[in-house]
Amino acid sequence: MKSRIIGTGSYVPKKVVSNFELTKTLDTDNEWIVSRTGIRTRHIADKQSGETCSFMATKAAQQAVDDANISINDIDMIIVATLSADYKVPSLACLVQEQLGAFNAAAFDISAACAGSIYGLSIANSFIVSGQYKNVLFIGAEMMSSATNWQDRNTAILFGDAASACVISSSNDDKSGFIDFKLYADGRQHKHIFMPQGGSLEAVDEEGIKQGKDKLFMNGRETFKFAVRSVTDSINDILQKNNFNKENITFIVPHQANLRIIEAVAKYVDVSLDKFLINLDKYANTSAASLMLAYDEANRNNKLKKDDLLLFLAIGAGFVWGASIYKV
Ligand code: UT7
């Protein structure tokens, strides 16, 4: 039994914020942001007009279900990867289940930050290849604007809001679908990206809010170095384990954090940058949503052909990271 993606969808908020707009409130400039990150714009949700995290997730999910051409009642499980859900409790997956009316589905969230995408796909795949479920809806949904300290130029320039989704289904076609996953974690690095307040350890207080402790803190330089090293190693690992070489890969779908990270990885594994599907210039880093946002764009633009071999890559706070090989 294999699992394959049979439908994709995404939602990005209507409001586009350019680097130039950020310079009105931050000591930064367009040239710095473009040269250090590759980001030109990001989409920011407007909660007042109803663009909540669950709204974005549901929109992306509905599109994926329509694309898959299945009934809402056929969804057996909803998995959402997010660090910016509407509530801490209950899960975003339960809100999406309600909004979709997918009442035959089990529903839960996972916490793996920006690597929630690859962890989520892997969990969905496991439920299917074990024979337990037939159709799993996987969603990455992020309201990163609510987790960002807009006074901190180290992080405020990096993130955007979005949701992406895919329906993963069982398939008897042994020649296509997910071939393998490799997931990794190194908890010793957890202080490089973390939110000091708002957990059970430290409640949010006034002083904390002033210091931005209720928002994401990031050690950018260490994150950058770790990301390049670990993502490069994960590519080599998974190719070797499956007896593929880099020439076999049609496209690489990386987490969209920073163009310089992708360029460095491309250089280390000696793969042309043309093979990487990149859209972070428009959407910035949308955390758990980014991987499927790039895949959905390629899918909708008919860029992917039957038998293409794809390599999915993601890394996030923890650090957690992973890779997967997928045949279209
Ligand atoms: O999913 C994982 C999420 N996180 C990431 O992927 C982030 C990974 N890290 C990065 O992308 C990069 O480290 C950044 C883009 C965050 C920063 O780029 P960098 O080349 O590592 O810059 P830096 O932190 O070493 O800072 C260089 C200088 C500093 O000034 P001084 O100390 O040299 O005077 C910063 O204060 O750039 C300054 N700087 C800025 N200047 C203008 C930092 N942010 C900005 C800014 N605009 N937005």
Side-chain angles (χ1 to χ4, degrees):
M1 176 84 70
K2 288 270 242 198
S3 83
R4 48 188 300 268
I5 299 170
I6 62 161
T8 65
S10 56
Y11 181 87
V12 291
K14 294 191 178 56
K15 185 175 168 195
V16 181
V17 176
S18 69
N19 293 342
F20 295 103
E21 274 165 82
L22 291 184
T23 64
K24 291 179 191 160
T25 49
L26 272 180
D27 178 17
T28 187
D29 61 84
N30 177 57
E31 209 276 321
W32 193 97
I33 301 172
V34 173
S35 64
R36 301 287 178 123
T37 70
I39 297 165
R40 292 177 185 277
T41 57
R42 70 282 296 141
H43 290 238
I44 300 295
D46 177 14
K47 277 190 276 189
Q48 307 313 320
S49 64
E51 277 177 332
T52 60
C53 198
S54 60
F55 172 87
M56 295 192 289
T58 305
K59 282 276 188 198
Q62 184 66 60
Q63 215 180 66
V65 172
D66 293 345
D67 189 39
N69 205 13
I70 61 167
S71 150
I72 289 288
N73 295 326
D74 293 334
I75 303 167
D76 302 308
M77 171 171 273
I78 301 172
I79 304 171
V80 180
T82 184
L83 59 79
S84 47
D86 290 16
Y87 305 113
K88 267 194 181 158
V89 179
S91 68
L92 194 68
C94 280
L95 306 192
V96 173
Q97 193 233 32
E98 180 196 19
Q99 289 173 33
L100 282 178
F103 299 114
N104 292 330
F108 65 96
D109 289 359
I110 62 162
S111 167
C114 301
S117 51
I118 200 91
Y119 270 67
L121 291 172
S122 170
I123 296 166
N125 173 66
S126 299
F127 272 106
I128 289 168
V129 296
S130 71
Q132 199 171 345
Y133 290 122
K134 187 167 167 22
N135 296 308
V136 178
L137 175 59
F138 170 65
I139 304 164
E142 298 285 18
M143 178 80 90
M144 292 306 287
S145 55
S146 71
T148 302
N149 176 359
W150 289 100
Q151 268 77 56
D152 177 7
R153 67 178 183 172
N154 289 300
T155 52
I157 58 159
L158 293 177
F159 298 106
D161 299 335
S164 61
C166 60
V167 176
I168 304 171
S169 291
S170 59
S171 158
N172 291 323
D173 172 9
D174 270 356
K175 298 205 175 54
S176 68
F178 285 102
I179 293 172
D180 197 17
F181 283 90
K182 281 210 79 174
L183 304 178
Y184 311 79
D186 184 349
R188 290 167 297 190
Q189 318 292 334
H190 74 271
K191 288 260 166 91
H192 290 317
I193 306 180
F194 84 123
M195 214 179 261
Q197 290 196 339
S200 59
L201 187 65
E202 228 182 289
V204 176
D205 61 25
E206 237 174 85
E207 191 47 37
I209 292 174
K210 267 193 223 146
Q211 295 173 28
K213 285 182 164 179
D214 57 330
K215 307 292 181 192
L216 279 174
F217 160 85
M218 187 184 70
N219 180 341
R221 217 174 268 188
E222 286 307 314
T223 302
F224 190 99
K225 283 193 284 188
F226 195 93
V228 172
R229 217 170 36 238
S230 55
V231 171
T232 302
D233 289 348
S234 72
I235 297 175
N236 292 329
D237 260 13
I238 198 162
L239 289 180
Q240 201 177 17
K241 185 177 163 221
N242 291 280
N243 292 318
F244 285 122
N245 57 51
K246 55 185 199 248
E247 284 75 28
N248 299 127
I249 301 296
T250 323
F251 291 115
I252 297 181
V253 192
H255 168 48
Q256 312 282 316
N258 180 325
L259 183 60
R260 275 167 58 228
I261 294 179
I262 297 173
E263 285 171 342
V265 169
K267 190 175 120 216
Y268 283 123
V269 292
D270 191 22
V271 171
S272 158
L273 202 57
D274 298 343
K275 279 199 173 189
F276 288 76
L277 302 183
I278 298 167
N279 63 8
L280 63 84
D281 50 322
K282 290 181 284 189
Y283 305 120
N285 180 349
T286 59
S287 185
S290 94
L291 203 64
M292 275 297 132
L293 193 61
Y295 181 89
D296 177 53
E297 188 171 274
N299 188 27
R300 273 166 208 287
N301 293 339
N302 294 318
K303 196 166 174 152
L304 308 174
K305 304 271 173 302
K306 178 125 183 68
D307 294 335
D308 280 355
L309 203 62
L310 308 184
L311 188 55
F312 289 113
L313 304 167
I315 175 151
F319 287 123
V320 278
W321 66 105
S324 174
I325 300 179
Y326 180 81
K327 194 163 191 177
V328 178

